[in-house]
Amino acid sequence: MNQPASAYFLEERHDPNETHTLSVLVANEPGVLARVIGLFSGRGYNIESLTVSETESQKHVSRITIVTTGTPMVIQQIKHQLDRMIPVFHVVDMTLTGRSIERELAMVKVRGGGDNRVEALRLADAFRARVIDATTESFVFEITGNSQKISQFIDLMRPLGLVEVSRTGVAAIGRGPEGM
Amino acid sequence: MSESKSRDLREDPNQMTGAAMIVRALADHGVKHVFGYPGGAVLPIYDEIFQQSEVEHILVRHEQGAGHAAEGYARSTGKPGVVLVTSGPGATNMVTPLTDALMDSIPLVCITGQVPTHLIGNDAFQECDTVGITRPSTKHNWLVRNVNDLAKVLHEAFYVATSGRPGPVVVDVPKDVQFATGTYHPPRKSDVHVSYQPRVKGDAVQIRKAVSLLASAKRPVIYSGGGVINSGTDASKLLRELVDVTGFPITSTLMGLGAYPASGPNWLGMLGMHGTYEANMAMHDCDVMLCVGARFDDRITGRTDAFSPGSKKIHIDIDPSSINKNIRVDVPIIGDAGNVLGDILQVFKAEAKKPDIKTWWQQIATWKARNSLAYKKNNDVILPQFAIQRLFEAVRGRDAYITTEVGQHQMWAAQFFGFEQPHHWMTSGGLGTMGYGLPAAIGVQVAHRDSLVIDIAGDASVQMTMQEMSTAVQYELPIKIFILNNQYMGMVRQWQQLLHGNRLSHSYTEAMPDFVKLAQAYGGVGLQVTKPADLDGAIKEMISVKKPVLFDCRVAALENCFPMIPSGKAHNEMLLPAEANDEATAAAFAGGKALV
């Protein structure tokens, strides 16, 4: 391996990247989201999607769902790095448990008339998207599902007059009776 | 305030101002010394400090000095170091020592003043986003907006700094919170942290796996690190016992020196980039590696894909994120180094026998015979290695504490000074902070008034925090600053010679202060020595002086630090001093096949 003169060993790893969804329970204290995001940016990890909201208000617990990509070693590092943060209660790799449901909500604005408008409505029906706002020349659809389904719907809307999209990012929960 | 209410205030001893709570909490946590520097946003706390005698405040000359002094204090005592600085520049000047303490797992509690809460976010005078700036430099930090949260946060701060893998924490206290009156409560044993409870005890199944690997080893090596030191003196005792019981060779990282005595029969010397040949070869060729409280840092491993290719690796660490970060290991054990070592010893003694590793020791003896720390003697100029050897001989048998700056002198100190005890060696390992050693020596001397404290320094590093000589003089701290003066940033120059075609870009200090006069100007003592024959006498004088000393030891200007693992190379490709002539060095470092 050739490398330029350097104090560091410059290694290139070629392990394939994986995508994982992590659920992180954190104490809902000021700055906690900044800590999590800072960890990702500071250590060069990827964030594909991030959602956060308080889920247990009496206990001041928030749940953060992060979709990230990396080599298996990096994914393991991310989990350990998250877990050792002081306000983090618990980290669960939903992808590893293999028994999780992932959903995302999107609002999709489409503008147009004539056949395009009819086609958009028809596709929305097929995707079980609801119309939540309408004018004579536009619709806003609300669609829920996994990220793939939403991306597919958005792609289909593009030639029909797609104006803009707002997506929530992924929320995930495990199947079965047990909590995380 | 009504009369009855003010009477309540007087009668309830736990009602006090935020400023009083801070000083009270320090006393409750057994803090004897605080390193700090006053300023507008901490004046109420300084007013409280003035009116009590339980906690002694050491006034530094720059906040960075306070941080490193607290680090030296912490590392030499095993207790947390405490720092008090003001908002804005006070806090930003602390960023370097905080990051340094984070990298080297040193427990620090840093209290920063902040502008009053109503001014936060207003770009007020001496305002900065302290918790934002120090978030990646600390284990955790807090901004306290309510005086009634202050006691809880302060106790939590000490808990977080000292438990699990130790580290620095910051508590940012706005000035109005310092003035406000609230309810204090002392630290309670029953307080359990809701989300941070690091695992101390190792998994029994993993420990058994480890023991069976150790018992069947043919070519074992123990690789210990700063985690053993941090775990406390018991961990070092257990490590020594494990070495005796197993008969295994042991090496250590820069941060782990002293856990096993350098005079011990199984000691291989330090490993890594400037470690000994025998230590690195043993790491490379071993079949079982027991890593205790170390983290496979890039200065240790060399190229990771060629790191100890044939070994089963056991890794004991209290921080799960250290496991499998750089090197994949076979038996990870999450837990406190001392605790896990105790369990391993117990199982090993009950169920295993000392494996026969005679041939392995023979192999090690042939590596040792290469004498990788050799250097050419010189009667005309002082060689830096020789200077450290003479210093070591002069203080041998004394309770000496050594701090260093960063660079060649640091590596020579690690190579040539034999450390017999834990907590006696303070150096900036992870961050590599030039300017660490002088203030760290101050912190050590504050904790150990009657001990000999020596900063083995370089002429460039020491000028980064030279102003703390004034602190040493003020508090009558007789620290010895042993400067290996070659007028270069030696390690920078070495790398420029090896890697950048000998273009010595800005690594030579053309205007060097007269260190003897400088020492005198500060009120200390300056000594200078230029001839090898005068060295012993001068060292003796340095030790006998009961004042801070700047010792200007003029050494060979162009000496380089060997052995060395060149960049992009593995442990078994070290460049030894005997081979480090110009041609071999050029071949090892310049492009072409040598870097393959």
Side-chain angles (χ1 to χ4, degrees):
Chain A
M1 180 188 292
N2 269 308
Q3 76 164 61
S6 168
Y8 299 92
F9 169 50
L10 310 173
E11 190 195 29
E12 290 173 36
R13 288 180 194 266
H14 296 290
D15 290 348
N17 275 353
E18 297 177 357
T19 300
H20 283 239
T21 304
L22 311 177
S23 285
V24 189
L25 286 189
V26 299
N28 187 18
E29 59 184 40
V32 67
L33 186 60
R35 283 179 208 285
V36 171
I37 293 171
L39 171 72
F40 276 76
S41 65
R43 291 185 184 266
Y45 305 144
N46 299 312
I47 298 180
E48 304 275 303
S49 152
L50 183 141
T51 61
V52 56
S53 185
E54 190 170 70
T55 49
E56 293 171 70
S57 59
Q58 285 106 339
K59 289 195 214 155
H60 299 290
V61 171
S62 288
R63 185 169 176 134
I64 301 176
T65 309
I66 305 168
V67 181
T68 183
T69 56
T71 64
M73 231 161 142
V74 167
I75 299 276
Q76 195 189 16
Q77 261 299 296
I78 292 174
K79 288 185 277 186
H80 287 321
Q81 293 288 355
L82 283 169
D83 211 12
R84 75 172 183 155
M85 297 179 88
I86 308 299
V88 169
F89 288 102
H90 205 36
V91 181
V92 173
D93 186 335
M94 306 303 265
T95 306
L96 270 195
T97 64
R99 286 168 44 79
S100 68
I101 309 163
E102 296 180 11
R103 289 292 179 270
E104 190 176 354
L105 184 144
M107 289 181 277
V108 182
K109 186 175 283 181
V110 183
R111 181 175 190 168
D115 286 350
N116 280 354
R117 189 171 161 86
V118 177
E119 182 63 7
L121 265 184
R122 213 176 55 77
L123 284 169
D125 195 43
F127 275 78
R128 298 186 209 291
R130 293 197 303 135
V131 175
I132 53 173
D133 179 68
T135 69
T136 53
E137 52 171 340
S138 71
F139 288 119
V140 175
F141 296 114
E142 174 198 311
I143 179 168
T144 316
N146 62 39
S147 302
Q148 208 186 347
K149 173 185 163 184
I150 289 173
S151 298
Q152 204 184 347
F153 181 71
I154 291 166
D155 285 346
L156 287 169
M157 288 300 121
R158 197 158 283 131
L160 303 177
L162 182 73
V163 177
E164 61 177 347
V165 179
S166 175
R167 295 172 74 148
T168 58
V170 172
I173 202 162
R175 291 181 188 274
E178 308 298 332
M180 73 178 263
Chain B
M1 197 183 286
S2 72
E3 202 176 307
S4 69
K5 206 171 170 194
S6 71
R7 197 164 56 237
D8 284 351
L9 253 176
R10 279 200 306 273
E11 282 166 6
D12 183 352
N14 284 329
Q15 289 293 309
M16 62 183 86
T17 65
M21 279 185 203
I22 288 167
V23 178
R24 173 80 181 277
L26 296 184
D28 282 353
H29 284 278
V31 174
K32 297 274 177 274
H33 299 95
V34 176
F35 302 88
Y37 203 101
V42 280
L43 285 179
I45 306 171
Y46 273 87
D47 200 32
E48 289 294 332
I49 285 177
F50 188 83
Q51 300 175 54
Q52 54 87 51
S53 55
E54 268 182 278
V55 180
E56 188 191 349
H57 179 269
I58 309 293
L59 175 68
V60 294
R61 299 299 181 267
H62 183 287
E63 286 87 354
Q64 186 189 354
H68 293 320
E71 284 188 272
Y73 187 92
R75 200 148 179 87
S76 67
T77 60
K79 293 186 218 156
V82 181
V83 177
L84 174 60
V85 294
T86 193
S87 64
T92 55
N93 282 342
M94 265 303 290
V95 170
T96 299
L98 288 170
T99 313
D100 191 273
L102 185 72
M103 293 284 265
D104 286 345
S105 309
I106 312 292
L108 288 191
V109 175
C110 172
I111 292 158
T112 53
Q114 182 55 280
V115 300
T117 42
H118 74 274
L119 284 176
I120 291 178
N122 237 326
D123 296 333
F125 177 65
Q126 292 194 328
E127 183 191 354
C128 73
D129 176 8
T130 301
V131 287
I133 290 168
T134 61
R135 199 175 285 132
S137 329
T138 53
K139 191 173 167 190
H140 199 56
N141 59 17
W142 297 263
L143 168 65
V144 183
R145 288 170 172 276
N146 184 333
V147 68
N148 287 312
D149 295 336
L150 188 55
K152 177 175 168 283
V153 168
L154 288 166
H155 302 327
E156 197 181 344
F158 275 91
Y159 169 78
V160 169
T162 54
S163 55
R165 180 177 177 177
V169 298
V170 164
V171 182
D172 197 25
V173 189
K175 195 169 182 181
D176 55 326
V177 175
Q178 298 170 30
F179 276 127
T181 300
T183 310
Y184 178 80
H185 66 81
R188 294 174 295 230
K189 280 241 160 66
S190 58
D191 285 343
V192 180
H193 197 280
V194 287
S195 58
Y196 185 67
Q197 291 150 46
R199 178 174 187 147
V200 173
K201 195 158 175 60
D203 181 80
V205 175
Q206 293 293 87
I207 284 166
R208 269 177 199 285
K209 268 194 214 164
V211 170
S212 78
L213 269 181
L214 295 174
S216 61
K218 299 275 184 293
R219 303 186 308 279
V221 69
I222 299 174
Y223 146 45
S224 81
V228 178
I229 314 271
N230 274 336
S231 176
T233 44
D234 279 355
S236 293
K237 281 191 200 122
L238 290 163
L239 180 72
R240 290 166 187 215
E241 198 183 339
L242 184 71
V243 172
D244 289 344
V245 167
T246 56
F248 289 176
I250 176 167
T251 179
S252 150
T253 66
L254 182 70
M255 298 307 293
L257 296 175
Y260 185 82
S263 61
N266 295 28
W267 178 240
L268 301 181
M270 182 176 75
L271 82 160
M273 183 171 274
H274 292 291
T276 65
Y277 185 65
E278 54 269 30
N280 286 330
M281 287 304 287
M283 288 289 280
H284 186 269
D285 283 6
C286 68
D287 68 344
V288 174
M289 177 190 297
L290 174 64
C291 168
V292 198
R295 57 187 175 89
F296 297 95
D297 171 86
D298 57 84
R299 300 292 101 158
I300 294 302
T301 59
R303 67 185 291 173
T304 46
D305 59 357
F307 174 76
S308 192
S311 64
K312 294 275 183 200
K313 299 173 187 72
I314 305 160
H315 187 185
I316 303 167
D317 206 298
I318 200 159
D319 177 2
S321 75
S322 289
I323 309 269
N324 289 340
K325 182 165 68 180
N326 305 322
I327 298 293
R328 211 179 288 277
V329 297
D330 302 279
V331 184
I333 305 174
I334 314 280
D336 169 72
N339 198 301
V340 175
L341 281 173
D343 287 351
I344 286 180
L345 253 177
Q346 202 182 6
V347 178
F348 191 96
K349 281 199 266 190
E351 296 174 12
K353 270 195 298 212
K354 204 180 220 178
D356 178 13
I357 55 165
K358 210 178 292 164
T359 49
W360 178 231
W361 273 113
Q362 283 162 359
Q363 175 63 62
I364 289 171
T366 66
W367 290 326
K368 215 170 228 169
R370 299 287 291 273
N371 199 11
S372 63
L373 296 180
Y375 60 92
K376 290 197 191 87
K377 301 274 182 294
N378 193 320
N379 292 327
D380 300 322
V381 287
I382 301 172
L383 290 173
Q385 302 95 322
F386 177 73
I388 290 175
Q389 276 185 321
R390 295 319 301 164
L391 179 68
F392 175 51
E393 290 306 325
V395 306
R396 196 192 272 273
R398 298 179 65 135
D399 186 33
Y401 292 81
I402 303 296
T403 71
T404 75
E405 312 290 337
V406 168
Q408 286 183 324
H409 67 274
Q410 177 190 30
M411 292 298 108
W412 282 318
Q415 291 173 337
F416 290 95
F417 203 99
F419 295 95
E420 297 293 309
Q421 295 297 329
H423 300 291
H424 283 61
W425 162 245
M426 274 57 58
T427 193
S428 172
L431 194 64
T433 309
M434 293 171 71
Y436 168 90
L438 200 164
I442 286 176
V444 175
Q445 190 81 77
V446 165
H448 309 274
R449 281 273 175 183
D450 301 322
S451 298
L452 180 61
V453 182
I454 303 170
D455 170 27
I456 297 177
D459 53 270
S461 284
V462 77
Q463 292 188 70
M464 285 204 174
T465 48
M466 179 56 84
Q467 75 285 347
E468 301 305 333
M469 269 299 278
S470 179
T471 307
V473 170
Q474 177 176 341
Y475 293 95
E476 296 174 3
L477 304 167
I479 55 171
K480 318 298 182 205
I481 313 302
F482 190 77
I483 305 169
L484 297 178
N485 183 354
N486 62 3
Q487 303 206 44
Y488 280 101
M489 290 150 227
M491 195 60 97
V492 172
R493 190 213 60 223
Q494 176 166 348
W495 284 57
Q496 287 172 337
Q497 289 176 309
L498 300 179
L499 299 167
H500 294 277
N502 204 24
R503 290 179 293 279
L504 305 187
S505 182
H506 297 271
S507 53
Y508 180 72
T509 312
E510 291 202 20
M512 190 65 72
D514 179 331
F515 285 114
V516 174
K517 282 187 187 157
L518 190 58
Q520 289 160 356
Y522 276 117
V525 172
L527 298 170
Q528 193 192 59
V529 57
T530 54
K531 293 266 169 288
D534 302 332
L535 187 58
D536 284 352
I539 288 175
K540 204 171 163 196
E541 188 183 351
M542 173 186 85
I543 293 169
S544 66
V545 170
K546 297 284 174 258
K547 276 185 166 186
V549 179
L550 283 185
F551 189 103
D552 183 10
C553 184
R554 295 298 182 95
V555 297
L558 295 174
E559 190 67 11
N560 280 342
C561 186
F562 289 105
M564 178 174 188
I565 304 178
S567 52
K569 299 266 177 157
H571 276 166
N572 59 347
E573 301 172 286
M574 285 200 91
L575 193 61
L576 297 181
E579 299 155 2
N581 56 42
D582 290 350
E583 278 168 30
T585 309
F589 286 92
K593 71 178 194 328
L595 276 174
V596 173

